[in-house]
Amino acid sequence: MLNLILRKEGIQTAIAENGEDFLNKIDDFQPDLVTLDVMMPGLTTDEILDKLIKKNCKPKIILLTVVRYSEDILKKMLKKDNIAAYIDKPFDLDEFMDTVNELLQI
């Protein structure tokens, strides 16, 4: 659904089925921004972030999740290099787009 909404806004997108698929696609598609579900199948979020660093790929990342984290864990997550925002699901679409536009400076 997000893919359709972002494309409607004129943002070029790509979809990945899981962490490995994402890392394979990122070699050809160098995004400025990534929406990453914390519960994505396959690799953990930390594994994906570590592999991005090894690939020297540093897109801004919006973490999406239904998991509710403590403030301490959130602060730790947001200190990681690429993580620019954290959004709880379900989320308000207007707020999501505000975050995307701010990060892409549209």
Side-chain angles (χ1 to χ4, degrees):
M1 189 65 158
L2 289 178
N3 182 51
L4 294 173
I5 292 164
L6 292 169
R7 283 180 181 247
K8 182 180 174 191
E9 294 295 319
I11 298 170
Q12 184 181 3
T13 64
I15 298 174
E17 297 293 322
N18 55 47
E20 286 293 334
D21 185 32
F22 166 71
L23 291 168
N24 289 332
K25 287 181 177 180
I26 206 156
D27 289 332
D28 297 323
F29 183 79
Q30 293 289 315
D32 296 318
L33 180 66
V34 170
T35 58
L36 180 64
D37 193 310
V38 172
M39 300 301 287
M40 193 173 198
L43 299 173
T44 66
T45 303
D46 283 336
E47 289 171 324
I48 292 169
L49 295 173
D50 288 344
K51 289 179 186 266
L52 282 175
I53 290 168
K54 288 177 184 171
K55 288 179 173 274
N56 199 27
C57 183
K58 296 186 178 187
K60 295 175 186 173
I61 297 174
I62 299 175
L63 290 179
L64 303 173
T65 186
V66 296
V67 177
R68 303 298 182 245
Y69 292 104
S70 70
E71 286 297 316
D72 290 339
I73 292 173
L74 281 176
K75 286 178 187 175
K76 183 180 175 184
M77 289 172 70
L78 291 169
K79 286 183 181 178
K80 293 192 180 214
D81 288 344
N82 299 20
I83 299 176
Y86 167 89
I87 299 176
D88 287 322
K89 293 191 290 186
F91 52 85
D92 179 83
L93 189 54
D94 290 333
E95 290 177 19
F96 172 79
M97 286 308 302
D98 287 346
T99 301
V100 167
N101 289 332
E102 178 183 320
L103 294 173
L104 293 177
Q105 298 178 358
I106 295 175

